[in-house]
Protein backbone atom coordinates (compact mmCIF):
# COMPACT_ATOMS: atom_id res chain seq x y z
CA UNK A 1 0.00 0.00 0.00
CA UNK A 2 1.36 3.48 -0.85
CA UNK A 3 0.81 4.73 2.68
CA UNK A 4 3.63 6.33 4.58
CA UNK A 5 4.28 5.00 8.09
CA UNK A 6 4.30 7.55 10.89
CA UNK A 7 7.27 7.39 13.26
CA UNK A 8 6.88 8.26 16.95
CA UNK A 9 3.13 8.96 16.65
CA UNK A 10 2.73 9.83 20.33
CA UNK A 11 5.90 11.93 20.68
CA UNK A 12 4.94 15.63 20.55
CA UNK A 13 7.96 17.58 21.81
CA UNK A 14 6.76 20.97 20.52
CA UNK A 15 3.27 20.67 22.02
CA UNK A 16 2.66 22.22 25.43
CA UNK A 17 0.06 19.78 26.72
CA UNK A 18 -0.99 22.19 29.48
CA UNK A 19 -2.89 24.11 26.81
CA UNK A 20 -3.93 21.25 24.53
CA UNK A 21 -7.51 19.94 24.50
CA UNK A 22 -7.38 16.21 23.89
CA UNK A 23 -10.88 16.14 22.35
CA UNK A 24 -11.42 19.56 20.75
CA UNK A 25 -14.77 18.55 19.20
CA UNK A 26 -16.31 17.45 22.49
CA UNK A 27 -19.96 18.52 22.59
CA UNK A 28 -20.18 19.15 18.85
CA UNK A 29 -21.18 15.61 17.88
CA UNK A 30 -20.32 11.95 18.16
CA UNK A 31 -16.60 11.34 18.55
CA UNK A 32 -16.94 7.64 17.78
CA UNK A 33 -15.90 6.20 15.47
CA UNK A 34 -12.71 8.31 15.34
CA UNK A 35 -12.75 10.91 12.55
CA UNK A 36 -10.91 9.54 9.51
CA UNK A 37 -8.39 11.96 8.00
CA UNK A 38 -6.32 11.49 4.82
CA UNK A 39 -3.17 13.60 4.48
CA UNK A 40 -1.46 14.49 1.17
CA UNK A 41 1.91 16.18 0.69
CA UNK A 42 3.60 17.64 -2.38
CA UNK A 43 7.28 16.73 -2.61
CA UNK A 44 9.33 13.57 -3.18
CA UNK A 45 12.55 14.85 -1.63
CA UNK A 46 14.15 12.69 1.03
CA UNK A 47 13.82 15.62 3.41
CA UNK A 48 10.46 16.94 2.23
CA UNK A 49 9.22 19.73 4.48
CA UNK A 50 5.65 19.38 3.25
CA UNK A 51 5.80 15.71 4.29
CA UNK A 52 7.33 16.61 7.65
CA UNK A 53 4.54 19.14 8.22
CA UNK A 54 1.96 16.51 7.31
CA UNK A 55 3.55 14.06 9.73
CA UNK A 56 3.37 16.63 12.54
CA UNK A 57 -0.27 17.24 11.60
CA UNK A 58 -1.00 13.49 11.67
CA UNK A 59 0.52 13.14 15.15
CA UNK A 60 -1.64 16.00 16.37
CA UNK A 61 -4.75 14.53 14.77
CA UNK A 62 -4.10 11.21 16.48
CA UNK A 63 -3.63 13.07 19.77
CA UNK A 64 -7.05 14.65 19.10
CA UNK A 65 -8.60 11.20 18.67
CA UNK A 66 -8.52 10.78 14.88
CA UNK A 67 -7.47 7.92 12.64
CA UNK A 68 -4.99 9.08 10.00
CA UNK A 69 -3.50 7.88 6.74
CA UNK A 70 -0.61 9.59 4.91
CA UNK A 71 -0.55 8.83 1.19
CA UNK A 72 2.84 8.32 -0.48
CA UNK A 73 2.61 9.73 -4.04
CA UNK A 74 5.96 8.36 -5.23
CA UNK A 75 4.44 5.61 -7.43
CA UNK A 76 1.61 7.60 -8.99
CA UNK A 77 1.64 7.75 -12.81
CA UNK A 78 0.83 10.93 -14.70
CA UNK A 79 -2.84 11.46 -15.57
CA UNK A 80 -3.72 9.57 -18.78
CA UNK A 81 -0.34 7.80 -18.76
CA UNK A 82 -2.12 4.54 -17.97
CA UNK A 83 -5.30 3.67 -19.85
CA UNK A 84 -8.38 4.52 -17.76
CA UNK A 85 -6.02 5.35 -14.86
CA UNK A 86 -5.93 1.60 -14.17
CA UNK A 87 -2.94 1.69 -11.83
CA UNK A 88 -2.63 0.28 -8.28
CA UNK A 89 -1.50 3.57 -6.77
CA UNK A 90 -4.40 5.47 -8.37
CA UNK A 91 -6.89 2.90 -7.12
CA UNK A 92 -5.47 3.12 -3.61
CA UNK A 93 -5.49 6.92 -3.54
CA UNK A 94 -9.17 6.90 -4.50
CA UNK A 95 -9.97 4.22 -1.94
CA UNK A 96 -8.27 6.25 0.81
CA UNK A 97 -10.18 9.36 -0.26
CA UNK A 98 -13.47 7.45 -0.12
CA UNK A 99 -12.46 6.18 3.34
CA UNK A 100 -11.79 9.69 4.62
CA UNK A 101 -14.17 12.12 6.31
CA UNK A 102 -11.65 14.94 6.14
CA UNK A 103 -8.34 15.68 4.43
CA UNK A 104 -5.17 17.74 4.88
CA UNK A 105 -3.33 19.04 1.80
CA UNK A 106 0.16 20.49 2.21
CA UNK A 107 2.22 21.73 -0.72
CA UNK A 108 5.56 23.45 -1.07
CA UNK A 109 5.44 26.72 -2.97
CA UNK A 110 7.41 26.36 -6.18
CA UNK A 111 7.54 29.19 -8.74
CA UNK A 112 4.78 30.87 -6.79
CA UNK A 113 2.39 27.90 -6.96
CA UNK A 114 1.67 24.39 -5.73
CA UNK A 115 3.92 21.61 -7.00
CA UNK A 116 3.14 19.20 -9.81
CA UNK A 117 3.20 16.32 -7.29
CA UNK A 118 0.44 18.00 -5.28
CA UNK A 119 -1.68 18.68 -8.35
CA UNK A 120 -1.04 15.15 -9.63
CA UNK A 121 -2.76 13.64 -6.61
CA UNK A 122 -5.76 15.95 -6.87
CA UNK A 123 -6.02 15.29 -10.61
CA UNK A 124 -6.38 11.57 -9.88
CA UNK A 125 -9.43 12.22 -7.67
CA UNK A 126 -12.55 12.41 -9.86
CA UNK A 127 -15.65 14.33 -8.80
CA UNK A 128 -17.73 11.21 -9.44
CA UNK A 129 -16.67 7.59 -9.70
CA UNK A 130 -19.21 4.83 -10.23
CA UNK A 131 -21.90 6.68 -8.30
CA UNK A 132 -19.48 7.52 -5.47
CA UNK A 133 -17.81 10.87 -4.81
CA UNK A 134 -14.28 10.63 -3.35
CA UNK A 135 -14.10 14.26 -2.13
CA UNK A 136 -17.58 15.78 -2.05
CA UNK A 137 -18.72 16.90 1.41
CA UNK A 138 -15.44 16.10 3.13
CA UNK A 139 -13.70 18.69 5.26
CA UNK A 140 -10.34 20.05 4.13
CA UNK A 141 -7.43 21.85 5.81
CA UNK A 142 -4.78 23.48 3.60
CA UNK A 143 -1.13 24.16 4.44
CA UNK A 144 2.02 25.19 2.62
CA UNK A 145 5.76 25.43 3.19
CA UNK A 146 8.06 28.02 1.66
CA UNK A 147 11.82 28.28 1.24
CA UNK A 148 11.73 32.05 1.67
CA UNK A 149 9.47 34.59 3.29
CA UNK A 150 5.90 33.77 4.20
CA UNK A 151 3.52 33.47 1.28
CA UNK A 152 -0.03 32.30 0.72
CA UNK A 153 0.02 31.47 -2.99
CA UNK A 154 -0.14 27.70 -2.50
CA UNK A 155 -2.85 27.70 0.17
CA UNK A 156 -4.93 30.05 -1.97
CA UNK A 157 -4.67 27.64 -4.90
CA UNK A 158 -5.46 24.67 -2.66
CA UNK A 159 -8.59 26.50 -1.51
CA UNK A 160 -9.70 26.96 -5.11
CA UNK A 161 -9.10 23.26 -5.79
CA UNK A 162 -10.92 22.25 -2.61
CA UNK A 163 -13.95 24.28 -3.65
CA UNK A 164 -13.81 22.74 -7.12
CA UNK A 165 -13.70 19.27 -5.53
CA UNK A 166 -16.83 20.23 -3.52
CA UNK A 167 -15.08 20.03 -0.17
CA UNK A 168 -15.76 22.05 2.96
CA UNK A 169 -12.49 23.94 3.40
CA UNK A 170 -12.08 25.20 6.97
CA UNK A 171 -11.32 28.92 7.57
CA UNK A 172 -7.91 28.48 9.24
CA UNK A 173 -4.74 27.58 7.33
CA UNK A 174 -0.99 27.22 7.84
CA UNK A 175 1.92 28.76 5.93
CA UNK A 176 5.42 27.92 7.17
CA UNK A 177 8.12 30.34 5.98
CA UNK A 178 11.79 29.31 5.70
CA UNK A 179 10.75 25.76 6.48
CA UNK A 180 14.37 24.56 6.40
CA UNK A 181 14.92 26.42 9.69
CA UNK A 182 11.83 25.04 11.44
CA UNK A 183 12.84 21.37 11.75
CA UNK A 184 15.60 19.68 13.72
CA UNK A 185 17.98 17.02 12.39
CA UNK A 186 15.49 14.29 13.28
CA UNK A 187 12.83 15.92 11.13
CA UNK A 188 10.72 17.14 14.03
CA UNK A 189 9.29 20.63 14.07
CA UNK A 190 10.72 23.03 16.61
CA UNK A 191 8.45 24.95 19.00
CA UNK A 192 7.35 28.13 17.22
CA UNK A 193 4.35 30.19 16.22
CA UNK A 194 4.31 28.18 12.98
CA UNK A 195 3.90 24.94 14.93
CA UNK A 196 1.21 26.53 17.10
CA UNK A 197 -0.70 27.49 13.96
CA UNK A 198 -0.64 23.88 12.76
CA UNK A 199 -2.10 22.87 16.13
CA UNK A 200 -4.83 25.49 15.64
CA UNK A 201 -5.61 24.23 12.15
CA UNK A 202 -5.83 20.58 13.21
CA UNK A 203 -8.06 21.47 16.16
CA UNK A 204 -10.38 23.31 13.79
CA UNK A 205 -10.38 20.48 11.26
CA UNK A 206 -11.44 17.99 13.93
CA UNK A 207 -14.22 20.30 15.09
CA UNK A 208 -15.62 20.89 11.60
CA UNK A 209 -15.37 17.20 10.71
CA UNK A 210 -17.31 16.09 13.79
CA UNK A 211 -19.78 18.95 13.51
CA UNK A 212 -20.66 18.14 9.89
CA UNK A 213 -20.51 14.35 10.28
CA UNK A 214 -24.25 13.74 10.90
CA UNK A 215 -25.28 16.13 8.11
CA UNK A 216 -23.00 14.90 5.31
CA UNK A 217 -25.69 13.37 3.11
CA UNK A 218 -27.99 16.39 3.37
CA UNK A 219 -25.23 18.92 2.71
CA UNK A 220 -24.37 17.39 -0.66
CA UNK A 221 -27.97 16.79 -1.78
CA UNK A 222 -28.58 18.61 -5.10
CA UNK A 223 -31.66 19.57 -7.08
CA UNK A 224 -29.86 19.07 -10.41
CA UNK A 225 -28.81 15.53 -9.50
CA UNK A 226 -32.30 14.61 -8.25
CA UNK A 227 -33.73 15.92 -11.50
CA UNK A 228 -31.19 14.03 -13.64
CA UNK A 229 -31.85 10.79 -11.75
CA UNK A 230 -35.63 11.30 -11.77
CA UNK A 231 -35.86 11.17 -7.96
CA UNK A 232 -39.14 12.89 -7.13
CA UNK A 233 -39.67 14.57 -3.76
CA UNK A 234 -42.27 12.90 -1.55
CA UNK A 235 -44.19 15.70 0.24
CA UNK A 236 -45.06 13.28 3.04
CA UNK A 237 -41.40 12.88 4.01
CA UNK A 238 -39.94 16.22 2.89
CA UNK A 239 -39.16 17.99 6.18
CA UNK A 240 -39.10 21.42 4.54
CA UNK A 241 -42.59 20.93 3.14
CA UNK A 242 -43.88 19.65 6.47
CA UNK A 243 -42.39 22.62 8.36
CA UNK A 244 -44.04 25.09 5.96
CA UNK A 245 -47.57 23.80 6.52
Amino acid sequence: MPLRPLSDPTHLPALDRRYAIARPASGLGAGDPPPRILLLYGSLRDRSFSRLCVEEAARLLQFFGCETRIFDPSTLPLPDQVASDDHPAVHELREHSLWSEGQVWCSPERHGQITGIMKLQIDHLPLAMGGMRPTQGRTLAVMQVSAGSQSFNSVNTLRILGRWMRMVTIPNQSSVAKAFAEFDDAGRMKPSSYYDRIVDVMEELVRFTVLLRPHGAQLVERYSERKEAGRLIDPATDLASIAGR
Side-chain angles (χ1 to χ4, degrees):
M1 292 176 61
L3 288 179
R4 186 160 188 100
L6 183 63
S7 63
D8 296 324
T10 61
H11 184 48
L12 299 165
L15 181 70
D16 191 334
R17 295 177 186 243
R18 296 175 299 171
Y19 304 102
I21 302 173
R23 295 295 178 268
S26 179
L28 295 178
D32 291 319
R36 303 182 302 275
I37 309 296
L38 174 66
L39 300 97
L40 308 181
Y41 59 93
S43 169
L44 300 182
R45 291 178 175 174
D46 288 340
R47 187 170 168 83
S48 162
F49 295 112
S50 62
R51 174 177 56 78
L52 294 178
C53 275
V54 152
E55 290 175 352
E56 293 292 354
R59 294 182 185 99
L60 289 165
L61 288 166
Q62 290 189 18
F63 175 76
F64 293 142
C66 297
E67 184 179 353
T68 66
R69 294 180 182 179
I70 301 174
F71 183 76
D72 182 347
S74 60
T75 60
L76 274 178
L78 295 173
D80 306 318
Q81 182 179 359
V82 178
S84 302
D85 285 333
D86 188 11
H87 187 279
V90 176
H91 294 317
E92 291 202 27
L93 173 60
R94 293 174 178 177
E95 288 169 6
H96 296 315
S97 189
L98 286 167
W99 163 87
S100 72
E101 295 178 89
Q103 298 188 15
V104 177
W105 296 352
C106 182
S107 177
E109 181 178 301
R110 185 169 295 169
H111 301 312
Q113 263 303 337
I114 65 172
T115 61
I117 294 296
M118 191 75 238
K119 185 64 161 54
L120 172 65
Q121 295 171 85
I122 299 169
D123 284 347
H124 277 304
L125 294 173
L127 285 175
M129 182 180 67
M132 298 178 290
R133 301 187 181 277
T135 57
Q136 180 170 293
R138 287 157 177 80
T139 53
L140 172 65
V142 296
M143 307 194 300
Q144 77 168 74
V145 294
S146 303
S149 58
Q150 192 170 44
S151 168
F152 301 95
N153 291 321
S154 291
V155 288
N156 288 340
T157 294
L158 291 174
R159 284 188 177 278
I160 292 172
L161 289 167
R163 183 170 70 244
W164 183 261
M165 302 304 288
R166 300 174 182 171
M167 303 177 80
V168 181
T169 308
I170 67 171
N172 214 341
Q173 62 188 24
S174 168
S175 174
V176 180
K178 296 183 179 178
F180 61 87
E182 296 301 320
F183 293 85
D184 62 23
D185 292 341
R188 298 305 306 269
M189 200 166 184
K190 304 171 185 176
S192 69
S193 60
Y194 292 131
Y195 179 83
D196 292 349
R197 174 58 66 89
I198 292 178
V199 180
D200 290 346
V201 173
M202 294 309 112
E203 272 191 342
E204 189 171 285
L205 178 63
V206 175
R207 290 185 176 121
F208 271 82
T209 303
V210 170
L211 183 64
L212 297 180
R213 168 182 266 178
H215 311 292
Q218 185 177 359
L219 288 172
V220 298
E221 177 78 6
R222 283 187 173 83
Y223 160 79
S224 59
E225 293 177 356
R226 293 193 301 271
K227 183 178 178 182
E228 183 180 357
R231 295 199 313 270
L232 301 177
I233 296 298
D234 182 358
T237 59
D238 178 26
L239 296 179
S241 299
I242 296 171
R245 288 176 186 171

